[in-house]
Amino acid sequence: MDIVEELLKHNKLALSKAITAVENEYDNAVDIMTKIYSHTGHAYVIGITGPPGAGKSTMTDKIAKEYSKRGFTVGIVAIDPTSPYSGGAILGDRIRMMDLTADEKIFVRSMATRGSLGGLSQKTGDAVKLMDAYGMDRIIVETVGVGQSEVDIVKTADTSMVVVIPGMGDDIQAIKAGILEIGDLFTINKADRDGTDKLNIEIEMMLELNPEHVGWRPPINRTIASKGIGIEAVVDSIEEHKKYLEENGKLAEIRKARTKSEVTAMLNDKVNRYIDSKVINTQEFDDQIMKMQNREIEPYSVVDDIVAKVLK
Ligand SMILES: Nc1nc2c(ncn2[C@@H]2O[C@H](COP(=O)(O)OP(=O)(O)OP(=O)(O)O)[C@@H](O)[C@H]2O)c(=O)[nH]1
Ligand SMILES: [Mg+2]
């Protein structure tokens, strides 16, 4: 089958095959991405991040169903964490999201991290574009928010939601450190637990001190995701943020910045690969290094010469 043609006709098997091609860097991956690009830019992308076990998958499941109820199609990209924090979470995600596959309007795809987070953010971006070209109205990217790379993945999103839970103790420091800046929305999940009010106040105080959010005050919602409580309000908040970004021209702005950083990453990647194969891994380069060791030549002009040659 022609994967691109079928994908554009809303064939889920084609979508699945296209994501597999991108994930595994098959030969046809670049061709697929090239052909679908002009069909992207319609979906609205929501990033959901937060500490391990916060209920992100449960929440994603419920949000997708709420969107489906409102008549939207939803694609989900779940980043399978292979970090030591979350042993067994992979199977858990699959099981919890299993009943979503019964919904025609929803498509779920897990992506393995396999320890290569750098490449993962590009692959996540490609998976999102494939779902976008397929015609998904909303795309949710779920990732565990523990490191910078995960934060990068969330940058694929138009609206980012940070899920936190009461009783994290000092872990709130971790949220302060990196994730706070990216939160357009905060959701306190497991609000059936003690410490919800205290956490709410803490987040409010942090937001107070954070000058990033001019014009948009990130709402703090409370949910019990496992029971589906509070989900409608979360979806309302997401849609309000979308409206805010659109009405202020900010959506176009952040999407332009995203395109720029994506293309910059692609460019750097390509140039680095080229230099690796044509320069670094050559006998000539080895010889030059040896001469530098012996102080027969100096590296500065060598680098200038190489750059001039490569750019020619
Ligand atoms: N008490 C309570 N438990 C919840 C709630 N929401 C989710 N859970 C439970 O919390 C556990 C973790 O939920 P997940 O949805 O897998 O959490 P996650 O953030 O996706 O986890 P990782 O992907 O492993 O980081 C599950 O056992 C859920 O049933 C809630 O609101 N209250
Ligand atoms: Mg999960």
Side-chain angles (χ1 to χ4, degrees):
M1 79 173 162
D2 183 315
I3 290 184
V4 172
E5 206 174 282
E6 288 297 316
L7 182 148
L8 295 175
K9 280 195 280 186
H10 314 301
N11 178 336
K12 278 187 182 168
L13 181 63
L15 173 58
S16 186
K17 282 186 170 177
I19 296 174
T20 300
V22 163
E23 191 175 32
N24 299 304
E25 299 180 24
Y26 291 162
D27 288 342
N28 58 347
V30 175
D31 185 51
I32 293 171
M33 291 312 299
T34 306
K35 285 177 179 156
I36 61 110
Y37 194 82
S38 65
H39 299 274
T40 61
H42 307 290
Y44 194 77
V45 185
I46 301 140
I48 297 186
T49 191
K56 300 178 296 296
S57 297
T58 313
M59 181 104 59
T60 300
D61 172 297
K62 295 287 182 352
I63 290 173
K65 282 180 181 148
E66 176 62 24
Y67 268 125
S68 170
K69 218 165 78 186
R70 296 185 188 191
F72 294 98
T73 53
V74 187
I76 297 170
V77 183
I79 310 300
D80 273 352
T82 49
S83 71
Y85 287 105
S86 44
I90 296 173
L91 189 60
D93 274 358
R94 296 244 159 87
I95 289 169
R96 266 190 293 287
M97 288 186 169
M98 198 96 84
D99 59 323
L100 282 178
T101 51
D103 190 324
E104 261 303 303
K105 295 211 281 295
I106 300 173
F107 179 88
V108 187
R109 176 60 184 244
S110 290
M111 296 193 65
T113 53
R114 293 201 194 109
S116 67
L117 278 168
L120 186 70
S121 62
Q122 197 193 331
K123 286 174 186 177
T124 305
D126 286 350
V128 165
K129 286 190 186 71
L130 289 165
M131 290 188 179
D132 186 352
Y134 170 95
M136 291 304 183
D137 301 314
R138 300 288 181 271
I139 298 168
I140 304 174
V141 180
E142 182 209 331
T143 178
V144 177
V146 282
Q148 183 56 45
S149 311
E150 288 85 352
V151 172
D152 285 346
I153 291 166
V154 170
K155 283 184 187 151
T156 324
D158 300 311
T159 292
S160 294
M161 178 167 98
V162 175
V163 180
V164 287
I165 46 174
M168 289 192 303
D170 282 346
D171 289 356
I172 197 85
Q173 298 295 339
I175 302 169
K176 266 187 202 168
I179 296 176
L180 183 73
E181 293 83 53
I182 60 162
D184 302 306
L185 257 60
F186 288 85
T187 300
I188 302 176
N189 190 41
K190 308 197 184 183
D192 49 335
R193 288 191 183 171
D194 287 345
T196 300
D197 288 336
K198 184 170 163 277
L199 181 58
N200 202 321
I201 291 167
E202 280 177 353
I203 298 168
E204 255 165 33
M205 270 161 44
M206 287 190 298
L207 291 174
E208 208 68 56
L209 299 171
N210 187 357
E212 287 257 337
H213 301 284
V214 190
W216 171 258
R217 171 92 194 176
I220 306 169
N221 288 298
R222 296 181 181 199
T223 55
I224 305 173
S226 50
K227 291 185 181 157
I229 295 173
I231 300 299
E232 287 173 30
V234 169
V235 173
D236 287 344
S237 289
I238 295 168
E239 292 301 305
E240 272 163 36
H241 186 242
K242 175 176 182 285
K243 201 167 151 231
Y244 164 79
L245 292 179
E246 285 167 349
E247 286 176 352
N248 292 279
K250 287 188 195 279
L251 186 60
E253 228 171 78
I254 61 175
R255 286 187 171 182
K256 185 187 170 197
R258 186 184 311 145
T259 302
K260 191 170 179 178
S261 76
E262 279 175 0
V263 177
T264 305
M266 282 166 69
L267 201 56
N268 281 331
D269 186 54
K270 196 136 203 175
V271 169
N272 280 335
R273 283 183 200 214
Y274 183 84
I275 290 180
D276 269 349
S277 71
K278 301 286 180 189
V279 180
I280 312 291
N281 299 319
T282 62
Q283 186 59 48
E284 188 189 355
F285 193 65
D286 262 0
D287 294 344
Q288 284 172 320
I289 298 293
M290 187 53 83
K291 282 183 186 157
M292 286 175 210
Q293 282 297 95
N294 298 331
R295 301 300 184 271
E296 292 167 34
I297 57 175
E298 42 77 27
Y300 308 96
S301 1
V302 172
V303 168
D304 279 346
D305 286 351
I306 290 172
V307 170
K309 222 192 282 176
V310 166
L311 291 181
K312 201 174 60 178

